[in-house]
Amino acid sequence: MTNSAAQSSNQLPSFNTPMDPGAWLILLKAPKLGPVRIRQLISEYQSPDAVIQASAKQLRELKVPDNAIRWIKQAGQADLQNELAWLSQDGNEMVSFKDPAYPALLAQLHDAPVLLFTHGNVDLLSLPQLAMVGSRHPSADGKQTAFQFAECLAAGGLIITSGLAQGIDAESHKGALSCGRTIAVCATGLDRVYPPANLSLAKNIAREGLLVSEFLPGTNVHKAFFPRRNRLISGLSLGTLVVEASLRSGSLITAQCALEQGREVFAIPGSIHNPMSKGCHGLIKQGAKLVENAADIIEELQSHLQRMSSGLHSSQHREQRQVEQHSTLDPEYRDLLEHITYAPISIDQLVETTKQRVEAISSMLLILELEGLVQNAGAGCYSRC
């Protein structure tokens, strides 16, 4: 994660460290360079700084467009003041795809954003999420259903992720905030709120949850940005729940993204006479899981997490052996293990929750890994076996 509080907003960045925000921003703002190409360049040169320092000939050999090369070669003249000023403000951060805080599920997307701009509790990105989406003009029953499902699912430990739109999105955020946490994925830069009617809600989410965007600060709303936002909502999440949607609802784009990403899709049925139920009924016909209560979803996702972390060949014998191993552990090891679930958790998060030193945590994790109780999930994260 990068916060430029130490860097004056009226200075152009130097390119001295791999996590220098200026180098990342230069590449993100380069014309004709999408996330796939930027990741390829960084893979080739190991850091954004090295990409910027590469010669025009080297970049041309990698099929970088000429206008992008001109931009990169003029990096020292780039106007980054707006972005750096935003990053200097409390709570604002920038997470690159190289950062341990970058969400593992999102990283699986072929077009995953190179950078995420965040405001709030960035640790939520690493926790299990469920997307909740639906109509911007729901029925009263639909709004109540969204709030109640979000409330129950958040109480069950899931982070509720949605798009800050009016209607089902807003009710889902509110329900989650009543007893848990929520993430709002925005279709604008995080220095503005759309729709303006949800300004108060956005402030509450910033305090109690997290605002996320792949768009640079200063980016205004545009209809082309909503499908991009929708793929992030589903890409961050284990599954997507559609609460109420017409056949033309934009929330069906999110459900389609989830299907293409290999994620679970859930839908709540409604009256056959309600046009706002047609979209959900269509998803169910296509194979989405019909849900009647939050327990249906929690049960489905828990089993999914179990399969992800313990593999297809886990057995009752193995589970019993783990129980026996757990009972023989020293108290400090048992306490650490209680904080590790089947969803990856970072060492930094474990340090914060257990109040142990990082050296002690790292040592105990090594022992637990050798005992077969936890596994290294990559990027400095661990999960239960």
Side-chain angles (χ1 to χ4, degrees):
M1 290 174 289
T2 303
N3 188 303
S4 62
Q7 185 168 347
S8 172
S9 63
N10 58 7
Q11 292 180 338
L12 291 174
S14 60
F15 305 116
N16 297 323
T17 67
M19 291 309 296
D20 170 46
W24 289 99
L25 291 168
I26 288 293
L27 292 182
L28 191 67
K29 297 182 75 170
K32 303 296 184 180
L33 281 190
V36 175
R37 180 63 64 85
I38 293 175
R39 284 203 305 275
Q40 289 172 342
L41 289 171
I42 293 176
S43 176
E44 180 74 21
Y45 287 100
Q46 304 305 311
S47 75
D49 313 82
V51 175
I52 290 172
Q53 293 163 6
S55 69
K57 179 182 178 182
Q58 289 173 315
L59 295 175
R60 200 167 287 114
E61 288 174 350
L62 293 174
K63 311 297 184 185
V64 177
D66 286 342
N67 51 356
I69 293 175
R70 285 193 294 271
W71 171 268
I72 291 171
K73 293 295 98 185
Q74 296 171 1
Q77 303 173 32
D79 182 6
L80 306 179
Q81 292 188 12
N82 182 54
E83 292 84 4
L84 294 177
W86 182 85
L87 281 169
S88 70
Q89 298 170 25
D90 288 343
N92 293 345
E93 297 189 41
M94 188 176 83
V95 181
S96 81
F97 76 98
K98 288 283 193 179
D99 197 299
Y102 195 91
L105 281 177
L106 188 62
Q108 296 175 6
L109 275 59
H110 80 281
D111 62 344
V114 172
L115 296 174
L116 293 175
F117 299 93
T118 69
H119 181 81
N121 184 358
V122 74
D123 290 339
L124 298 185
L125 286 174
S126 300
L127 299 179
Q129 299 171 45
L130 176 80
M132 287 187 62
V133 295
S135 172
R136 284 180 170 81
H137 306 286
S139 66
D141 184 58
K143 292 172 66 174
Q144 183 180 31
T145 298
F147 186 98
Q148 292 175 342
F149 264 74
E151 183 178 43
C152 188
L153 290 163
L158 288 169
I159 306 300
I160 301 303
T161 299
S162 196
L164 198 62
Q166 291 181 296
I168 295 299
D169 285 22
E171 293 304 312
S172 298
H173 289 307
K174 293 173 185 176
L177 287 173
S178 70
C179 60
R181 297 289 184 266
T182 188
I183 293 175
V185 183
C186 302
T188 64
L190 292 187
D191 56 344
R192 52 209 64 203
V193 173
Y194 183 85
N198 281 345
L199 177 60
S200 177
L201 175 60
K203 289 180 178 180
N204 289 339
I205 294 172
R207 282 195 300 269
E208 304 294 334
L210 180 68
L211 299 172
V212 179
S213 178
E214 68 174 311
F215 299 106
L216 288 160
T219 302
N220 288 312
V221 65
H222 190 283
K223 64 181 182 180
F225 296 162
F226 290 104
R228 290 176 59 180
R229 177 206 61 181
N230 292 348
R231 95 189 190 291
L232 286 196
I233 294 172
S234 59
L236 285 164
S237 307
L238 290 166
T240 293
L241 171 63
V242 183
V243 177
E244 194 175 69
S246 68
L247 288 173
R248 293 188 145 193
S249 173
S251 59
L252 300 185
I253 297 176
T254 311
Q256 183 60 41
C257 289
L259 288 171
E260 293 172 355
Q261 293 159 0
R263 310 294 165 80
E264 301 287 351
V265 176
F266 306 94
I268 298 176
S271 168
I272 61 172
H273 304 294
N274 181 3
M276 301 309 299
S277 297
K278 298 293 186 183
C280 292
H281 293 169
L283 288 172
I284 293 168
K285 289 176 182 177
Q286 295 170 34
K289 293 177 174 61
L290 184 155
V291 297
E292 296 178 309
N293 53 60
D296 293 338
I297 298 171
I298 292 174
E299 181 181 1
E300 184 71 31
L301 293 184
Q302 282 182 337
S303 63
H304 181 65
L305 285 170
Q306 184 92 22
R307 289 195 304 272
M308 285 173 58
S309 52
S310 55
L312 296 175
H313 302 293
S314 61
S315 65
Q316 289 185 343
H317 172 73
R318 182 181 178 188
E319 292 173 3
Q320 180 60 34
R321 181 171 62 84
Q322 290 181 339
V323 170
E324 293 171 355
Q325 286 176 297
H326 186 281
S327 65
T328 61
L329 290 172
D330 291 340
E332 58 184 0
Y333 284 83
R334 288 202 299 271
D335 179 66
L336 175 60
L337 198 56
E338 291 297 328
H339 289 85
I340 303 173
T341 67
Y342 293 107
I345 185 171
S346 70
I347 292 178
D348 288 342
Q349 288 175 280
L350 290 171
V351 169
E352 182 177 349
T353 56
T354 65
K355 308 304 180 186
Q356 297 263 17
R357 291 181 298 109
V358 65
E359 296 85 357
I361 293 289
S362 298
S363 176
M364 286 190 286
L365 284 171
L366 177 59
I367 299 300
L368 292 173
E369 187 175 7
L370 292 173
E371 291 288 336
L373 293 171
V374 303
Q375 61 184 349
N376 190 329
C381 296
Y382 286 79
S383 63
R384 287 282 190 103
C385 288

